[in-house]
Amino acid sequence: MSKKLFGIIGAMDIEVDGLKATMKNMTTEVRGGIEFAVGTIGEQNVVVAKCGIGKVFAAMCAQTMILCYSPDVVINTGIAGSLSNEVGVLDMVIAKDVVEYDMDLSAGGFGNPVGKIPDIDEIHMKCDESIAASLAKVADSTGIKSFSGTIASGDTFVADSKKKRWLSDTFGAIACEMEGAAIGQICTFRKVPFSVVRSISDGGNEDAAMTYAEFAKLAADNSIRVLKAFLEKQQ
């Protein structure tokens, strides 16, 4: 049986460099202005890319990865802000689904609910359940507290308690970031299974910038540790 190819996307160097450091037989090539690292982690074939911050870069990277490498699974890894009092800094959130909170066609005659994406006709784009369950199991085995729930993506660093409450109340989201749902939209449209795994760097409130500065690297390392362990356990 041929092994799967796992496509892994992070927005920043701190979210992917630790994975690339563990890769064997690694080669790199630039496609569409994005550097892709191809090799193995454990016994698994992987292609790893830093997409850049924000939904446009994330979507561009996911589309290029799918067209050029045809991964069986795409996993978005990195850090996020918490939208729940139960989810603390350095905890892990593994998405059951993702939403684009700044997609808004509620006016202009469209009448769509906020977050609903045309041509996909979804607000909550579902992640692959088996991958999410495996990631949660691995997180627990490494001693990292994990939560399953909705992750909300938009082109804003959330550092506002009012916005934090709106995201939680409107979408039931427990974490927020800037790439996962854009990757989810591409994967949903292209019918590629995907997952989003994020370690919490801040609380999404007025203290978020200071907390992020202190914990971003530690949170990114947690996400890398879980993803690396997940890949090494795959058969």
Side-chain angles (χ1 to χ4, degrees):
M1 180 183 295
S2 60
K3 294 186 181 297
K4 290 182 177 179
L5 174 61
F6 289 84
I8 301 166
I9 300 173
M12 300 180 291
D13 287 327
I14 61 170
E15 297 173 326
V16 296
D17 279 355
L19 286 172
K20 290 195 286 187
T22 69
M23 290 173 66
K24 305 296 184 184
N25 307 311
M26 187 179 78
T27 60
T28 61
E29 54 188 351
V30 175
R31 300 288 188 95
I34 301 166
E35 183 179 89
F36 292 91
V38 182
T40 59
I41 295 178
E43 299 297 321
Q44 296 305 310
N45 298 317
V46 297
V47 53
V48 179
K50 182 192 81 171
C51 63
I53 295 171
K55 293 194 304 171
V56 175
F57 278 130
M60 182 173 67
C61 183
Q63 178 78 336
T64 303
M65 179 181 282
I66 290 168
L67 289 175
C68 294
Y69 299 97
S70 300
D72 297 287
V73 176
V74 173
I75 300 176
N76 174 223
T77 183
I79 59 182
S82 173
L83 299 175
S84 168
N85 291 333
E86 296 180 5
V87 182
V89 171
L90 301 184
D91 288 343
M92 188 75 63
V93 174
I94 298 159
K96 67 177 183 180
D97 54 58
V98 291
V99 301
E100 292 183 39
Y101 66 77
D102 52 3
M103 171 61 75
D104 188 354
L105 290 176
S106 58
F110 291 98
N112 285 353
V114 175
K116 189 172 184 178
I117 299 171
D119 300 317
I120 290 180
D121 208 31
E122 297 283 354
I123 296 175
H124 293 261
M125 293 171 283
K126 297 187 182 301
C127 299
D128 185 275
E129 292 181 0
S130 63
I131 296 171
S134 295
L135 285 165
K137 187 175 180 180
V138 169
D140 292 342
S141 73
T142 60
I144 298 173
K145 190 176 182 181
S146 68
F147 296 83
S148 173
T150 299
I151 293 181
S153 304
D155 284 323
T156 301
F157 181 91
V158 176
D160 179 90
S161 296
K162 184 177 179 180
K163 188 161 194 171
K164 176 178 176 175
R165 286 192 299 272
W166 178 79
L167 290 169
S168 176
D169 293 345
T170 304
F171 302 106
I174 63 173
C176 59
E177 35 86 310
M178 299 176 68
E179 295 84 26
I183 293 168
Q185 180 178 343
I186 297 297
C187 290
T188 299
F189 187 77
R190 305 284 306 189
K191 296 181 170 53
V192 176
F194 75 97
S195 184
V196 179
V197 54
R198 296 282 185 148
S199 182
I200 298 300
S201 60
D202 60 86
N205 55 19
E206 286 73 14
D207 296 326
M210 288 187 296
T211 309
Y212 174 90
E214 181 177 357
F215 290 104
K217 182 62 167 62
L218 290 172
D221 288 346
N222 270 359
S223 189
I224 288 168
R225 181 154 59 100
V226 168
L227 190 49
K228 180 175 177 288
F230 163 81
L231 291 166
E232 290 174 342
K233 289 178 180 295
Q234 299 304 300
Q235 300 298 318

